[in-house]
Amino acid sequence: MNKTFVVGTAVVVIVAAAGGGTYAVLHTPKRQFASNLVKMTKSNDNIADFRVTASGTGDDTGSASGTLKADAQNENNLAVHLKVNDKNTPEAMNIKMDKKHVYVSADILTSSVKAYGSTGLTKVTKSLDKYWLDASHSVSLEDTYSPIKTKEVRSDATSVTEWFKDLDSSKFKKVSNGYQVNLNKADMKSLMTKISKTKSGKELSKSEWKEAKSSLDPVKNFKLKLTVGDKGKSFGIDFSGKENNRKERLTFKVNTKRDNNLKVKMPAKSLIKTESQLTALLQDKMLDYYSDQIGSTIDEFNSSTDSSSTSDDILDA
């Protein structure tokens, strides 16, 4: 299974660059880098533990980590557990997908409520945790979540491999955790041009690709390191640069393994809800919750009033 599955199309575009190449297996950093990338893209590993960190990017500062699992018999059946730390506010989400659908677990509501300290509302959201939102049929979410086309991703990764073949050997080196290539801004723009011609790349318009490449222009001290581990069992991206006098850094790491007995089942039909259905369920639960809160407040007020009246009667006596 291709390790690029751990992220959506945007990051797939970057990771797809690690497509390998038809090089002879020689003991030079460039050849070893290529050889291990080939192993990575051809691997049938179906568990990927990943982590993304960002710093110096303002509101985007934070990290995300998680695990992606693919069914051992059907690589199109995927399950992702993702934990996001945004300014030290953790949120977790669970996603399942097949060829046509993306299901987001409603337990993200409970996670969000906890993250913002509204623990009382977890009594409301917890009852919805068993449901799944069909995000692929949601108008507001269809651009956020989309099924991953595994064969297409692997094909795109393979088509990009030739780009690495023309890089200067001096850009490659042996490092403690594998083999690494160092790319500059011009390299990255060239790579983006290559990726834009793949099937995944064509999901973005030419104007969007032009804008993406132009966004690199203000970045000073641009550095991008791609590292592949031995036998293609790990892959890393390390970007650093400076924009508007602010240093920025983004890292991505993934480690993979194989479980031949792993099964990923899609949610039962009875638990799959549309956006409107899930919203209606939440609204009903919220109304019940606040009605109970109001009732409790009234009871407390009446109890307090009765107690005060009793005290007054005793004093009058």
Side-chain angles (χ1 to χ4, degrees):
M1 175 187 167
N2 193 308
K3 298 344 154 292
T4 60
F5 297 165
V6 298
V7 282
T9 302
V11 180
V12 165
V13 164
I14 296 175
V15 182
T22 53
Y23 299 93
V25 182
L26 302 176
H27 292 288
T28 65
K30 181 175 181 177
R31 299 300 191 244
Q32 288 298 310
F33 179 88
S35 175
N36 284 308
L37 283 172
V38 168
K39 292 175 183 177
M40 184 186 79
T41 56
K42 291 184 177 181
S43 170
N44 65 349
D45 284 357
N46 60 345
I47 298 177
D49 295 311
F50 60 92
R51 181 175 180 80
V52 181
T53 61
S55 60
T57 54
D59 293 337
D60 295 327
T61 299
S63 65
S65 59
T67 300
L68 178 142
K69 297 180 179 181
D71 190 284
Q73 301 301 318
N74 184 355
E75 65 176 10
N76 291 303
N77 285 4
L78 306 173
V80 182
H81 173 72
L82 178 66
K83 183 177 181 180
V84 179
N85 289 294
D86 183 10
K87 292 186 176 180
N88 299 317
T89 303
E91 289 187 53
M93 66 188 304
N94 291 287
I95 303 171
K96 289 187 176 184
M97 63 183 78
D98 55 22
K99 273 188 173 182
K100 297 181 179 180
H101 300 274
V102 177
Y103 305 108
V104 180
S105 174
D107 64 9
I108 188 175
L109 297 173
T110 301
S111 177
S112 298
V113 167
K114 285 183 178 179
Y116 288 97
S118 304
T119 54
L121 289 177
T122 57
K123 296 178 181 178
V124 179
T125 59
K126 199 72 177 174
S127 62
L128 302 178
D129 285 358
K130 62 183 178 181
Y131 295 113
W132 293 80
L133 170 64
D134 188 351
S136 48
H137 289 160
S138 168
V139 175
S140 63
L141 297 175
E142 62 182 356
D143 291 333
T144 304
Y145 304 101
S146 59
I148 295 175
K149 301 174 183 177
T150 55
K151 290 184 178 180
E152 184 176 299
V153 171
R154 184 176 287 114
S155 175
D156 288 347
T158 301
S159 69
V160 176
T161 60
E162 291 299 314
W163 183 86
F164 284 92
K165 199 171 184 179
D166 296 328
L167 285 179
D168 193 291
S169 295
S170 64
K171 291 181 178 290
F172 299 83
K173 65 179 181 180
K174 175 76 172 70
V175 291
S176 60
N177 57 337
Y179 295 87
Q180 187 177 92
V181 61
N182 293 276
L183 307 180
N184 57 33
K185 192 185 300 185
D187 293 330
M188 187 60 193
K189 286 188 175 183
S190 174
L191 177 57
M192 291 170 77
T193 297
K194 180 69 175 179
I195 296 172
S196 68
K197 298 176 181 179
T198 64
K199 288 184 178 179
S200 296
K202 289 178 180 178
E203 291 182 10
L204 298 179
S205 65
K206 290 183 179 180
S207 61
E208 288 175 314
W209 275 110
K210 184 177 180 180
E211 182 180 352
K213 283 189 269 189
S214 296
S215 69
L216 299 180
D217 293 335
V219 181
K220 298 179 180 180
N221 302 325
F222 181 101
K223 294 180 181 179
L224 179 63
K225 301 175 182 179
L226 306 180
T227 305
V228 62
D230 186 42
K231 298 180 180 179
K233 293 291 185 180
S234 66
F235 184 74
I237 297 174
D238 188 339
F239 160 78
S240 63
K242 189 174 182 181
E243 186 174 1
N244 297 324
N245 294 318
R246 184 177 62 192
K247 292 182 179 179
E248 299 181 356
R249 189 179 183 192
L250 176 70
T251 64
F252 168 79
K253 296 179 181 179
V254 60
N255 293 284
T256 67
K257 58 186 178 182
R258 175 74 185 178
D259 181 351
N260 289 323
N261 298 315
L262 179 60
K263 293 185 180 299
V264 176
K265 294 182 179 180
M266 293 300 105
K269 288 185 178 181
S270 60
L271 299 179
I272 298 173
K273 303 296 180 182
T274 63
E275 190 171 6
S276 58
Q277 289 173 331
L278 194 58
T279 299
L281 284 171
L282 179 59
Q283 289 174 340
D284 289 342
K285 296 290 184 181
M286 292 292 285
L287 285 173
D288 291 341
Y289 172 77
Y290 283 115
S291 293
D292 290 342
Q293 292 295 304
I294 293 172
S296 296
T297 301
I298 292 174
D299 289 342
E300 288 177 8
F301 176 77
N302 289 336
S303 177
S304 175
T305 301
D306 292 341
S307 176
S308 177
S309 298
T310 301
S311 298
D312 288 344
D313 290 340
I314 292 174
L315 290 173
D316 290 340

